Amino acid sequence: MIEVHNLTFGYSSTEDGQILKGVDFAAKTGKLTALIGTNGAGKSTLLKTIMGILKGKGEISVNGKPVSQYSTKDFSSTVSYLSQDNACKVNLSVFEVVMLGRMGSMSFRVSDEDIAATQEVLERLNLQRFASRSIMELSGGQRQLVFMAQALVKEPKILILDEPTSALDLHKQFDLLTLLKNLTQENDFTTLVTLHHLDLAAMFADEIIVLKEGTVYAQGAPKDIFTEAMMEDVYRVKTKIYMDDNGLPHVIPLEAIIN
């Protein structure tokens, strides 16, 4: 579980420099929680602050323990983080890149268990055919899946993923989110993921957190979050929301609201 209370972050002390403004939310164990909002709302900044990449003020706990009380090693073994950046400047094979998720450095001894875990996650993501290929030879979408495999291979309890589907075609987005949903339920993960595709967020997320201008606008089940009023307030778009036979909301954009 991830719990955040009164989290703030800014690049300056002025109000204009504040990106996160008293953020409060909980991402529950065994649930896939999707963080949505417009560009610039603070989604990536929020994830980086939880990870300690950016130093904010407030309370952050992981599985009931303040992150300040974790050692670097324990935090790294508990939490896997995938950023939007999938560039790779080191000429390693796909197999080596994924295995780094378990080892941190290729200088450590490789065990049979490490090899087996790497092979398994490559197969789950249908990447085994690329195992011996250089990471630098792959497309952006393929690299994104490789780094997803790296995040999964160390068998964390917390997954924090920033736009993991952004470079993928629609079919692979469905495949990846289906896998994440299944892994979250099977392994009792806490999965926090930023998404831009609202219909996919509604389909796969157990909980939705809407971020607006650095604050939590709303949190709840997709059927409660996706409303025409929310779309106007947050996205500045007039929409039609309808529920399908499975009780899932679908967003039909109609027109932009011009101020």
Side-chain angles (χ1 to χ4, degrees):
M1 185 172 187
I2 303 170
E3 296 173 279
V4 172
H5 177 63
N6 197 29
L7 182 63
T8 62
F9 173 81
Y11 290 105
S12 72
S13 58
T14 65
E15 184 175 347
D16 289 343
Q18 293 298 300
I19 298 174
L20 303 178
K21 307 167 186 176
V23 172
D24 286 271
F25 75 88
K28 300 172 185 176
T29 303
K31 304 292 185 183
L32 193 154
T33 301
L35 183 65
I36 66 171
T38 60
N39 292 336
K43 301 185 299 297
S44 295
T45 299
L46 175 56
L47 300 191
K48 290 177 181 178
T49 307
I50 293 171
M51 291 302 302
I53 298 168
L54 299 175
K55 303 300 180 183
K57 296 180 180 179
E59 300 174 16
I60 305 171
S61 295
V62 167
N63 289 342
K65 181 178 177 179
V67 294
S68 60
Q69 296 181 14
Y70 278 86
S71 67
T72 300
K73 180 179 179 181
D74 287 345
F75 189 76
S76 178
S77 65
T78 301
V79 182
S80 273
Y81 168 65
L82 180 66
S83 72
Q84 291 187 39
D85 182 12
N86 63 15
C88 188
K89 300 177 182 178
V90 181
N91 191 16
L92 297 174
S93 72
V94 167
F95 193 92
E96 289 169 333
V97 171
V98 174
M99 188 176 287
L100 281 174
R102 287 183 70 86
M103 305 171 63
S105 168
M106 290 303 290
S107 64
F108 289 103
R109 182 178 177 181
V110 178
S111 69
D112 290 342
E113 184 181 357
D114 293 328
I115 293 172
T118 301
Q119 290 173 335
E120 180 181 356
V121 76
L122 286 172
E123 289 173 4
R124 292 204 75 165
L125 288 171
N126 197 28
L127 292 169
Q128 65 271 25
R129 66 190 186 279
F130 300 118
S132 62
R133 292 264 301 273
S134 166
I135 183 72
M136 301 181 77
E137 297 175 3
L138 303 186
S139 68
Q142 290 166 339
R143 284 198 304 271
Q144 195 162 28
L145 289 175
V146 171
F147 286 114
M148 172 61 70
Q150 186 188 74
L152 291 171
V153 75
K154 66 180 180 181
E155 300 172 352
K157 295 305 294 179
I158 308 285
L159 282 173
I160 297 179
L161 312 171
D162 196 0
E163 291 292 338
T165 63
S166 61
L168 304 179
D169 61 43
L170 191 56
H171 185 276
K172 288 187 173 62
Q173 289 181 46
F174 269 88
D175 283 349
L176 179 59
L177 289 171
T178 299
L179 175 64
L180 284 177
K181 180 85 166 187
N182 291 338
L183 289 173
T184 298
Q185 295 174 344
E186 293 168 9
N187 299 290
D188 225 19
F189 286 165
T190 301
T191 300
L192 178 62
V193 54
T194 62
L195 293 172
H196 268 299
H197 196 307
L198 300 184
D199 270 7
L200 289 181
M203 179 178 296
F204 289 100
D206 300 294
E207 290 266 323
I208 302 284
I209 298 169
V210 184
L211 209 62
K212 179 184 178 183
E213 297 177 354
T215 63
V216 174
Y217 174 88
Q219 177 172 0
K223 65 181 178 62
D224 299 320
I225 293 299
F226 286 104
T227 65
E228 293 167 13
M230 185 278 285
M231 292 300 300
E232 288 194 24
D233 289 344
V234 175
Y235 287 91
R236 308 301 296 156
V237 173
K238 288 187 178 295
T239 60
K240 179 68 176 177
I241 309 291
Y242 79 93
M243 295 290 177
D244 67 17
D245 293 339
N246 296 315
L248 295 175
H250 294 270
V251 179
I252 302 174
L254 300 176
E255 61 178 322
I257 297 173
I258 307 299
N259 292 329

